[in-house]
Amino acid sequence: MEDFDRIIKEQVAAFFKAIAHRMTPEDMKRVKAAYRFARKAHKPEKRHSGEPYIIHPIAVARIIGEELQLGANSIMAAFLHDVVENTSYTVEDIRKRFDDDVAFLVRVVTKEKKEHYKMSKQLDNFKQMLDSVQYDIRAILIKLADRLHNMRTLSSLRASKQMKIAGETDYFYAPLANRLGLYDIKTELQNLSFHYRCPQEYAALEEFLKKEETENQKQLESFTNKIRNLLSDKNIPVRLDVKYRTPYSLWFNMKKTGMDFRHQESKRVIWLTFPDNDLLSEKNQCLRIYSLLTDVLKEKPNSIFNYIDSPKENGYQSFHVKLLNKQGRWEDIHISSERMIRKSRLGCAADRTDSNIENWIFKFRSVLQDIADYSQRGGYIQSVVSQFYNDDILVFTPKGHGVMLPQRATALDFAYEIHSSIGEHAQYARVNGKLCSIKTVLRRGDCVEIGVNEKISPKPDWLKHVLTYKAKRSLNSQLRKIKEIPYERCPHCHPLPGDDLTGFQSGDKKIILHKRDCSEAIMLVSQDGDSIVEVNFEKDMEILYPVRVNIKAVDRYHLLRELVDCITEKLKLSINELSTKTVDEIVDCTIDFSIHSAGELQEAISSIYDVEGVDDVRRQDPES
């Protein structure tokens, strides 16, 4: 306890020193009083790690005060955020000791205790927090800071609890941070969630990244020095930073592209940051740097993304381009001003003018009010996440009117976004002038025209091809149909013994097994985390599971025979189906066989990789 007391005193002293320069003496006095009150209230409590509980409120206050740079009342509420929930003190006690504003923030971030919940305990708490945004955005920032510190210290909890909290974080809190423009917090939350949901995959990617960084250090230094010299010769001051992507970012991109780590094009980003300068506009400075670099270095065609003129919905701005290094690989270059970097880190907290805060609140209020009645179980949070999750894309009507949609939105989403009647009677789409299905996934910059037919009406399978809350709400009200498919082994992710798994207790008492990176599992965790159960899905030599692998290789004599021998002779596995096609000396081979566990599948993939000429081996859905 003496060590804890020393650590607490050092942390608090450092924190107070860090914020003192932007606080009045009166505010510092109030902040210190809030800390003393919180320490007294939490004195008997311990965290799961055995540490005094006050360490958590201190950490949350530091995130609020140092990382997000919020004011005195927000810092005080951060110190006090668990007092009402964990101790005998009430919101009224907080109001009497401090003021109405601090008490309001504490009340909003305190989970309500009810005998009966409208949706579930988790969903009701999410909705309570989201509703607070209609009045004040600081409460959400405190809740995000609370979640961030909990994720940073999640290792002391049991595995099922880790999965519950990590799943909530990835499904709900990270998208929320993204929508608020808090890029650093969003990235850290996603990565920490991935670390606890899929520890094996996380560790493997972390090892790959370390190896990649070591092996490419000299080549990268040569490339970055060339950039520094090019800009230095023209007296352009920039700060150059190399940031390797997180394991989560790489995993997400691997899922998106279907490529393994070795074939990922973008494993790092080179940031070029120039000082804020009134002599040149930010856009002109970005273009000047871009022009100088591309006079010497080869630019990848169609690789420019101008987020300066068209910022993302969360306010992110930068100028992106890909340049070729000497090893024949494309390097991601992001050109930004110091203001853009600061705004990317602080998001909605960067500019705290009344008009700016009101703009952020308006964005949330318009979404939340529209979906307030869409409260079937899971519907509310699904709708919010559909609207907030990840980056947006900007597409256009034929008249040039911009429409912001979530990534992977379809032409049908676009139709409903324009007007519900257009969505209801959508028959076809023209994307960039080309006739397409209304289920076509849109890309940034597409020009979309919807053809309508009064005889067309919504079909049940449309629900599978929309992302936005407007489209889902309209379709659900029209179809009035909810599908529930009972299963024991998730048909989407096809879990195997040895995978990172989690289990859920269904209404009929069946245990539903999912891989931990399964999107269905993450959704279930966020809606009903109490249904998580410990699972022991071990390999049984009497049970085989069908799998399919796709192999890309350079054609040669006896290649197919060696692939078959690798599976049947070396691994003693039976092949169920095999198809192969050779085009221009490149072999595309698909093999269906059965295995006992994920480890056996990985052994098979590794063995296939060892066959001469094989370049890529990927597991595929056996039902696709």
Side-chain angles (χ1 to χ4, degrees), residues 112-285:
E112 293 183 3
K113 297 177 181 178
K114 306 175 183 177
E115 289 187 12
H116 303 288
Y117 294 93
K118 290 182 178 179
M119 294 176 282
S120 73
K121 183 178 180 181
Q122 287 170 290
L123 295 182
D124 280 16
N125 287 331
F126 290 157
K127 189 175 187 303
Q128 174 194 340
M129 182 177 62
L130 285 170
D131 288 344
S132 73
V133 180
Q134 299 187 43
Y135 311 102
D136 199 310
I137 217 158
R138 294 171 301 166
I140 286 241
L141 298 180
I142 294 169
K143 200 66 181 177
L144 282 171
D146 176 40
R147 177 52 56 121
L148 179 58
H149 183 249
N150 281 334
M151 289 300 297
R152 288 173 176 175
T153 57
L154 200 58
S155 60
S156 60
L157 300 182
R158 66 182 188 274
S160 60
K161 189 72 171 177
Q162 289 176 350
M163 178 61 188
K164 175 180 179 292
I165 294 173
E168 280 182 354
T169 300
D170 190 58
Y171 186 75
F172 182 77
Y173 287 98
L176 195 56
N178 181 68
R179 179 54 72 225
L180 288 166
L182 303 169
Y183 178 80
D184 288 354
I185 289 179
K186 181 264 294 189
T187 301
E188 187 175 355
L189 287 175
Q190 287 176 329
N191 200 51
L192 286 168
S193 172
F194 180 52
H195 172 71
Y196 288 104
R197 285 189 296 107
C198 308
Q200 294 178 20
E201 289 185 79
Y202 184 94
L205 285 170
E206 197 172 39
E207 191 61 34
F208 283 142
L209 279 168
K210 288 178 182 177
K211 186 177 179 181
E212 174 82 13
E213 189 170 356
T214 301
E215 291 179 349
N216 290 277
Q217 185 175 356
K218 290 184 178 179
Q219 296 93 322
L220 181 60
E221 285 180 358
S222 174
F223 183 77
T224 54
N225 285 336
K226 187 170 187 175
I227 290 177
R228 286 191 180 95
N229 293 335
L230 284 171
L231 298 177
S232 177
D233 289 345
K234 298 296 182 180
N235 296 316
I236 298 179
V238 296
R239 185 179 75 252
L240 189 151
D241 300 298
V242 177
K243 297 182 181 178
Y244 275 83
R245 298 195 183 277
T246 63
Y248 172 85
S249 176
L250 283 167
W251 169 84
F252 184 83
N253 212 41
M254 287 162 63
K255 294 285 184 181
K256 181 180 177 181
T257 62
M259 299 179 184
D260 63 11
F261 180 86
R262 294 190 305 167
H263 293 84
Q264 287 300 305
E265 185 178 274
S266 178
K267 296 177 183 135
R268 58 181 173 246
V269 175
I270 298 173
W271 285 89
L272 302 177
T273 310
F274 55 87
D276 297 332
N277 187 345
D278 293 333
L279 298 178
L280 274 178
S281 73
E282 291 176 324
K283 179 180 175 181
N284 285 342
Q285 186 71 310

Side-chain angles (χ1 to χ4, degrees), residues 2-24:
E2 290 180 0
D3 287 341
F4 280 133
D5 286 340
R6 177 181 54 79
I7 291 169
I8 290 168
K9 288 179 181 178
E10 290 175 355
Q11 288 181 350
V12 171
F15 175 49
F16 289 156
K17 183 178 180 181
I19 63 172
H21 70 283
R22 58 185 186 85
M23 298 284 170
T24 65

Side-chain angles (χ1 to χ4, degrees), residues 90-105:
T90 66
V91 173
E92 189 59 32
D93 293 327
I94 303 292
R95 182 178 288 106
K96 288 178 181 178
R97 284 172 171 79
F98 302 103
D99 59 30
D100 289 344
D101 188 50
V102 174
F104 161 76
L105 291 174

Side-chain angles (χ1 to χ4, degrees), residues 271-274 286 317-319 334-338 340-341:
W271 285 89
L272 302 177
T273 310
F274 55 87
C286 285
Q317 289 182 294
S318 188
F319 187 90
H334 293 185
I335 307 171
S336 310
S337 68
E338 291 285 1
M340 295 177 197
I341 295 295

Side-chain angles (χ1 to χ4, degrees), residues 404-518:
M404 198 72 73
L405 293 170
Q407 271 190 354
R408 303 180 300 281
T410 63
L412 192 54
D413 283 304
F414 174 88
Y416 275 103
E417 196 70 20
I418 298 300
H419 198 280
S420 59
S421 64
I422 294 177
E424 291 168 17
H425 303 296
Q427 183 179 27
Y428 64 86
R430 292 191 186 275
V431 180
N432 303 321
K434 182 180 178 181
L435 183 64
C436 298
S437 162
I438 56 172
K439 300 172 184 176
T440 300
V441 175
L442 302 178
R443 297 186 178 186
R444 190 183 306 277
D446 281 345
C447 180
V448 186
E449 179 184 358
I450 302 296
V452 297
N453 184 336
E454 291 299 321
K455 296 180 180 179
I456 297 293
S457 59
K459 300 174 180 61
D461 73 318
W462 284 14
L463 279 171
K464 300 176 183 178
H465 300 280
V466 291
L467 285 181
T468 62
Y469 74 91
K470 284 186 179 179
K472 288 183 177 181
R473 182 186 62 183
S474 295
L475 283 170
N476 273 288
S477 65
Q478 292 154 14
L479 299 171
R480 294 180 181 178
K481 189 174 183 181
I482 302 174
K483 294 184 178 181
E484 293 185 3
I485 306 174
Y487 51 79
E488 295 182 350
R489 184 167 164 254
C490 176
H492 304 289
C493 64
H494 303 282
L496 297 169
D499 280 327
D500 285 323
L501 299 174
T502 190
F504 294 87
Q505 185 88 50
S506 65
D508 57 3
K509 304 301 181 182
K510 289 182 181 178
I511 302 296
I512 308 166
L513 299 177
H514 294 265
K515 290 179 68 176
R516 288 194 172 198
D517 61 0
C518 176

